[in-house]
Amino acid sequence: MTNLLSRAAWARVIPFVLFMALLALRGQLTPSSPDAAPGAVDGRWVYGLAVVLVTASLIALRHQYTELLAGSRLRWQHALLSIAVGLVVFKLWISLTEPWMMLGQPAAGFRPVNEEGELMWGLIAVRWVGAALMVPVMEELFWRGFLMRWVDNPDFEKVDPASVSLKAIALSTLVFMLAHTLWLGAIVAGLAYALLYRYTRSLWAAVLAHAVTNGVLGVWVVVHGNWAFW
């Protein structure tokens, strides 16, 4: 594996793997409840730990992210396009929810409500910041910046996003789909972000679109109390 992945590749893989490992840990812990044992850890706060640790890893490795460094700024026309794409993906994400469009059944694994049914705004803020600000950077660096281009060439930094093959887009989107319950929504999102990166040649476009999708989704989830989307 060491021979397959360069230092630049590991810089994009490590934050993603760290995040997934912490999500798995959160899944093993249960939210606090009246029946919880004294001193039991509320698994919902593990997400806050994930936000801190993954953000720290991104900052520590930031010099490796050539696609996000100086010279990769987003033109305003592309920024507007990215916002529009993010909004469209959000709308489709909450619409493509028929049973056959899902891998398994969604569960409200992150329900920021206390025993009295009151919203826990601290948890909500942590979840929203992670989903809207940290996750788009971490995931786009991994899925599109690294994996999609790596499919075409292990020396992925040499791959111009405008020349990424349809095979690379399809395969990276397929793996992206497997990481989500809403498989059809994930395909739509994966293709949208990938094609946006290919068209604009700026990973910031995909990051912005992803941030808009997740940010608006977070507000929608809280307003409607539809925690299964979180």
Side-chain angles (χ1 to χ4, degrees), residues 1 4 42 76 105 115 150 158 172 176-177 179 213 217-218:
M1 193 69 168
L4 290 176
D42 185 342
W76 69 267
Q105 292 297 319
E115 290 82 1
W150 183 82
K158 293 183 178 179
S172 60
F176 180 74
M177 175 203 76
T213 300
L217 177 64

Side-chain angles (χ1 to χ4, degrees), residues 78-89:
H78 291 164
L80 291 178
L81 175 62
S82 300
I83 292 171
V85 168
L87 291 173
V88 170
V89 171

Side-chain angles (χ1 to χ4, degrees), residues 15-29 43-51 54 109-110 127 134-135 138-139 179-180 230:
F16 179 79
V17 171
L18 177 60
F19 181 70
M20 297 304 290
L22 288 168
L23 285 190
L25 173 61
R26 191 194 79 186
Q28 297 303 311
L29 301 172
R44 293 173 298 184
W45 286 105
V46 174
Y47 192 90
L49 178 63
V51 171
V54 173
F110 194 93
R127 184 68 173 85
M134 180 272 289
V135 166
M138 176 269 296
E139 287 204 347
H180 296 82
W230 259 9

Side-chain angles (χ1 to χ4, degrees), residues 10-19 54 57-58 61 65 138:
W10 280 115
R12 291 154 179 79
V13 170
I14 288 172
F16 179 79
V17 171
L18 177 60
F19 181 70
V54 173
S57 71
L58 291 170
L61 297 166
Y65 305 142
M138 176 269 296

